[in-house]
Amino acid sequence: MSENKDCFYKDGLNFSCARCSFCCGHSPGYVYLSKRDLDELCKFFNLSVKEFVQKYCRWADYYYGQKVLALLEKKNYDCILWDNGCTAYQARPIQCSTYPFWSWMIKDKQTWDECAQECPGMNQGKLWSYEEILQNKNSYDENKPLTKEEVEAMY
């Protein structure tokens, strides 16, 4: 899908992670896992799909009543993989690596600026080009979470 080059980020956006961990916890949320994500995490932790799912995952409600694979949260809502830093940073899910260039966050300047109020890295640091932003947005949009049926077929 091509984007309109006249969008608010046509000249790029600034973002450098400030390691505040806000996007990794503090409030309820879901880190959905795709097949690529699950494969990378299993390889990183040297676990079978079944072992990884049992130790690190939960089933989350998704569109149309579907159950999909997501990472567990700790009691304080931090991601199960967060421990003063991402314990699986090199294998982190696409959802994490494409933040904050998610389609809903970059739909307009107002939404971007509202999100930036909670993320000290937004509007700071590295200038990401339009093409880099679009690449991240498309990766996020194309990264579909695994359904319960798909995961159970992998056991």
Side-chain angles (χ1 to χ4, degrees), residues 43-60:
K43 187 172 17 170
F44 182 82
F45 286 105
N46 196 28
L47 294 172
S48 71
V49 168
K50 189 171 189 173
E51 290 168 324
F52 183 84
V53 169
Q54 288 174 341
K55 184 171 183 176
Y56 294 106
C57 298
R58 62 182 166 155
W59 297 108

Side-chain angles (χ1 to χ4, degrees), residues 35-90:
K35 179 164 183 355
R36 175 261 177 217
D37 297 332
L38 183 58
D39 289 345
E40 290 296 314
L41 289 165
C42 287
K43 187 172 17 170
F44 182 82
F45 286 105
N46 196 28
L47 294 172
S48 71
V49 168
K50 189 171 189 173
E51 290 168 324
F52 183 84
V53 169
Q54 288 174 341
K55 184 171 183 176
Y56 294 106
C57 298
R58 62 182 166 155
W59 297 108
D61 290 323
Y62 200 58
Y63 298 107
Y64 313 110
Q66 215 175 23
K67 294 282 189 195
V68 296
L69 193 64
L71 289 173
L72 282 169
E73 290 178 329
K74 298 175 186 174
K75 287 185 177 158
N76 65 355
Y77 301 118
D78 284 355
C79 173
I80 191 71
L81 301 179
W82 181 259
D83 185 13
N84 214 19
C86 180
T87 60
Y89 187 81
Q90 300 88 336

Side-chain angles (χ1 to χ4, degrees), residues 20-31 58 71-80 95 99 102 104 118:
C20 72
S21 80
F22 189 82
C23 59
C24 302
H26 306 286
S27 60
Y30 297 106
V31 176
R58 62 182 166 155
L71 289 173
L72 282 169
E73 290 178 329
K74 298 175 186 174
K75 287 185 177 158
N76 65 355
Y77 301 118
D78 284 355
C79 173
I80 191 71
Q95 182 177 330
Y99 181 87
W102 299 347
W104 69 268
E118 296 179 335

Side-chain angles (χ1 to χ4, degrees), residues 99-117:
Y99 181 87
F101 305 115
W102 299 347
S103 44
W104 69 268
M105 292 179 82
I106 61 171
K107 73 176 183 157
D108 55 47
K109 183 157 177 26
Q110 179 181 343
T111 303
W112 174 264
D113 288 340
E114 286 171 2
C115 292
Q117 292 175 12

